[in-house]
Amino acid sequence: MFKFSKKSICLFLIFIMIFLVSSCKKEVTKIPVADGEKPLYGQNINLFSYYPDTLNPFLTEIRENYDIMSLVYEPLFAVRERGEEEPCLASAYKFENGGLTVRVMLKDNVKFHSGAVFGADDVIFTLKYIAEYAPNFLYIFDNIKGYSKDGNDVVFNLKSLQFNFVSCLDFPIISKSTDIKSFNENAHYQPNGCGAFEFDANAFKQKEMRLVKNAEYYNPDFPYADSITVKLLKNSPVAVSAFNGNEVSAITSDEFVWGDVSFTNDFTVSEYGGDWFYFLAFNYENALLCDVNVRRMMLSMIDRDDMVQKVFQTHAYATNSILNPMYNYGMVYTDEFDLDNTAGYAKDAGLTDKDKNGIYEKTVDDEVFSLSFSVLADADDDKIMKIADILAQSAKKAKILLNIKRLSGEDYQTAFAEKDYDILLTKEKIRCCDNLASKLDFNGKYEVPYEIYTELANILNGADTENANEKMREFNNLYISLAPCIALCYDSYATLCHGSVKNFTVWRNSRYRGILQSFIKY
């Protein structure tokens, strides 16, 4: 298990998070003039969702419904696809108390659709609401020690340094006057946010709902569209058909696989690194896996690019460390695949194939140890199963035998809990706003020799804001060379948008937010 000192964690966060920080006073990007023509205000844009289970963005179980409600409700900060945060209801932020306090300043003269003035009390009310009623959003409190208001500022006291903390503040803000009982229990409770669009209750029908432009939106330049018509569709095949037929303007990778989409249509693709990190974890009770050369063999035996193409149809990002190459602070993925290197590492580990059976082995005190490992994999996960087959084939070429244990349900959970495996093929969710230092041990699920982290900590102890990039590269290189786990890839998300809609961009938590800056015609 990772055993960093508090000082090490703080130093790690200094350099691992600092590259996500964008200017505290950044304004919304202006739409460029194209060919001397300015975007035309007005028009209607068609989006889709399924019939909403609730109009409460915190409780809905339908991701597309949340995306629609994100046009009605506004966050303090919104996060772009590469992890950069942009102020929304917040105007700026600054670090105090050595970085352990984050002061968020709010915009003035912002109103809810009801006409009530937005302020710090609404943020405090929302935070308290989340703590009691919104379990899916509790991750925002992972590194919060406490919070309070100071005038019209909101002050967060952190448990440890986290320079991308404001990325956690990408959640809807609700009014302090919200009737919580109705908000939670009445599926059609009138949404009341500060967003660019208002919910039109009069146009809420069985097959569609409608959003109309908020004339008092705090940024008078947006939105360009006067209205959004939301088609309430039956299921994902219907959504794909509606997109292919140009009945709706955008569709997300939740609903389609790439082969479903008609590529005869004119559309743009916005794709970015996802949250699911695929990797191999080791049971270090197996003495062979404590040999770094054996782990390096596995690091170099896997053709990650080939795996990504075959399993994810290239819609994933290969990585050989915990860092997502899509937003990993300047780091670049370098392919470690080289079967010649596996032979070299085998020699360094004293392994040979004396009996010519195609598996490396070594003899210690007259006992023969062979590179034959059991690999636990969740049979209920199709991608994991495909990766397992590829890994077994790759290992065979490297003279390693992987015996895949394909278990599901309770059988898998029992084997996992009892560590009934040598190697675990698994995945973990790592959000772009997560405190990565606390994620390195994946909440203590996987044990790793303490000595490895002693070496990593030596780098952390020398990190500061001046040499952060240099130390980040040094940390990344050492992580790869020690191979405490074998990283494979991050999945990706995508949104497709018809070419008829101009300037559509994708945001990580609110994928339809780009509609605010989109338009139909010049």
Side-chain angles (χ1 to χ4, degrees):
M1 185 181 299
F2 286 74
K3 298 181 179 179
F4 290 121
S5 67
K6 291 182 178 178
K7 180 179 179 182
S8 297
I9 291 177
C10 291
L11 287 169
F12 177 73
L13 287 169
I14 287 175
F15 69 81
I16 201 170
M17 300 305 178
I18 195 169
F19 298 101
L20 281 181
V21 179
S22 48
S23 172
C24 298
K25 297 183 178 179
K26 181 171 25 176
E27 296 297 331
V28 176
T29 304
K30 300 294 184 181
I31 304 297
V33 173
D35 299 326
E37 296 184 278
K38 294 182 179 180
L40 181 67
Y41 282 90
Q43 314 293 320
N44 174 80
I45 297 177
N46 292 327
L47 299 178
F48 89 94
S49 181
Y50 305 112
Y51 195 86
D53 48 354
T54 174
L55 299 179
N56 182 330
F58 295 105
L59 300 185
T60 182
E61 296 295 331
I62 302 172
R63 176 59 196 267
E64 290 72 20
N65 187 43
Y66 177 84
D67 291 335
I68 293 297
M69 287 298 104
S70 70
L71 302 176
V72 177
Y73 293 94
E74 196 81 351
L76 294 174
F77 295 87
V79 181
R80 290 186 175 273
E81 64 268 35
R82 290 184 179 270
E84 311 97 326
E85 76 283 339
E86 186 165 291
C88 295
L89 295 180
S91 61
Y93 68 92
K94 64 180 179 179
F95 291 98
E96 300 172 343
N97 187 28
L100 289 176
T101 298
V102 180
R103 178 179 293 273
V104 176
M105 289 74 84
L106 305 180
K107 283 185 168 72
D108 296 322
N109 301 318
V110 175
K111 292 183 180 180
F112 287 94
H113 300 150
S114 64
V117 176
F118 159 76
D121 287 333
D122 300 296
V123 179
I124 299 299
F125 179 87
T126 303
L127 290 167
K128 290 180 177 179
Y129 173 84
I130 291 173
E132 186 169 356
Y133 300 105
N136 290 339
F137 290 77
L138 290 179
Y139 67 87
I140 67 174
F141 295 110
D142 286 349
N143 196 34
I144 294 179
K145 186 177 181 180
Y147 58 86
S148 60
K149 72 166 187 172
D150 182 10
N152 204 37
D153 297 345
V154 180
V155 179
F156 296 91
N157 295 313
L158 306 184
K159 299 173 185 176
S160 59
L161 291 171
Q162 184 179 352
F163 280 88
N164 72 332
F165 169 73
V166 296
S167 297
C168 298
L169 305 181
D170 189 354
F171 56 85
I173 299 298
I174 58 177
S175 168
K176 63 183 179 182
S177 64
T178 301
D179 181 338
I180 291 179
K181 181 176 175 60
S182 297
F183 190 51
N184 287 346
E185 298 177 6
N186 181 356
H188 296 165
Y189 183 77
Q190 177 72 26
N192 177 34
C194 301
F197 292 94
E198 300 183 49
F199 185 84
D200 185 356
N202 295 324
F204 188 15
K205 303 175 183 178
Q206 187 68 25
K207 294 185 178 181
E208 67 181 37
M209 56 185 177
R210 190 165 180 265
L211 308 182
V212 295
K213 183 175 182 177
N214 175 11
E216 295 192 76
Y217 188 52
Y218 60 79
N219 189 330
D221 293 330
F222 304 120
Y224 281 96
D226 277 348
S227 61
I228 303 292
T229 297
V230 183
K231 308 282 188 178
L232 301 177
L233 305 181
K234 182 178 180 180
N235 52 36
S236 57
V238 174
V240 172
S241 177
F243 179 77
N244 286 336
N246 208 11
E247 297 174 35
V248 297
S249 295
I251 190 172
T252 67
S253 54
D254 298 34
E255 308 310 319
F256 70 86
V257 295
W258 290 92
D260 291 340
V261 180
S262 172
F263 285 87
T264 59
N265 287 329
D266 173 28
F267 59 81
T268 58
V269 180
S270 298
E271 190 167 6
Y272 56 94
D275 298 334
W276 286 108
F277 172 58
Y278 291 78
F279 66 105
L280 296 174
F282 299 129
N283 181 351
Y284 282 91
E285 293 176 5
N286 186 316
L288 284 173
L289 294 173
C290 293
D291 188 331
V292 68
N293 290 297
V294 174
R295 300 197 301 273
R296 287 173 180 168
M297 288 180 69
M298 296 188 186
L299 181 71
S300 60
M301 78 181 188
I302 304 168
D303 187 343
R304 289 166 180 75
D305 293 329
D306 181 64
M307 181 198 72
V308 162
Q309 181 176 6
K310 290 178 178 177
V311 177
F312 298 87
Q313 300 180 13
T314 72
H315 298 288
Y317 294 89
T319 183
N320 43 35
S321 79
I322 193 174
L323 303 176
N324 190 327
M326 189 66 179
Y327 50 87
N328 64 1
Y329 328 103
M331 302 306 301
V332 178
Y333 162 69
T334 55
D335 191 2
E336 299 287 327
F337 174 61
D338 190 332
L339 290 178
D340 291 336
N341 282 348
T342 64
Y345 292 138
K347 182 179 180 181
D348 293 341
L351 294 159
T352 59
D353 184 15
K354 287 184 178 180
D355 56 8
K356 305 300 180 182
N357 67 346
I359 302 175
Y360 280 121
E361 57 193 20
K362 67 188 297 185
T363 302
V364 179
D365 297 332
D366 297 326
E367 185 175 358
V368 178
F369 296 87
S370 64
L371 292 190
S372 176
F373 304 107
S374 64
V375 180
L376 178 61
D378 185 354
D380 293 328
D381 190 316
D382 290 341
K383 287 189 174 67
I384 290 289
M385 288 295 94
K386 292 178 182 178
I387 292 173
D389 290 335
I390 291 174
L391 291 178
Q393 295 169 13
S394 300
K396 186 176 181 179
K397 296 176 183 177
K399 295 189 176 183
I400 300 173
L401 178 62
L402 297 183
N403 299 301
I404 310 299
K405 297 178 63 173
R406 305 169 191 272
L407 301 179
S408 60
E410 292 185 5
D411 292 336
Y412 173 81
Q413 294 298 331
T414 299
F416 173 79
E418 295 179 355
K419 297 183 66 176
D420 186 15
Y421 59 83
D422 296 314
I423 301 172
L424 178 67
L425 170 57
T426 188
K427 64 183 182 181
E428 288 287 332
K429 197 166 190 177
I430 305 179
R431 292 177 294 263
C432 71
C433 64
D434 272 338
N435 180 332
L436 291 185
S438 67
K439 278 293 183 181
L440 282 175
D441 66 350
F442 301 103
N443 298 317
K445 286 183 179 179
Y446 316 106
E447 294 182 3
V448 178
Y450 174 70
E451 294 77 12
I452 291 178
Y453 300 103
T454 301
E455 292 190 60
L456 293 172
N458 288 337
I459 297 178
L460 305 186
N461 290 333
D464 57 37
T465 56
E466 298 298 323
N467 65 7
N469 190 50
E470 174 188 346
K471 290 296 180 180
M472 187 63 191
R473 293 179 181 276
E474 187 179 346
F475 173 86
N476 185 67
N477 292 337
L478 182 60
Y479 189 94
I480 293 172
S481 68
L482 294 176
C485 70
I486 302 299
L488 300 173
C489 67
Y490 280 85
D491 66 354
S492 72
Y493 300 141
T495 299
L496 309 185
C497 188
H498 279 293
S500 59
V501 177
K502 316 297 182 185
N503 199 58
F504 181 79
T505 57
V506 173
W507 299 68
R508 291 192 62 88
N509 294 341
S510 307
R511 296 171 299 180
Y512 288 157
R513 185 175 178 81
I515 290 293
L516 272 64
Q517 301 178 30
S518 300
F519 50 91
I520 303 294
K521 298 178 180 179
Y522 288 107

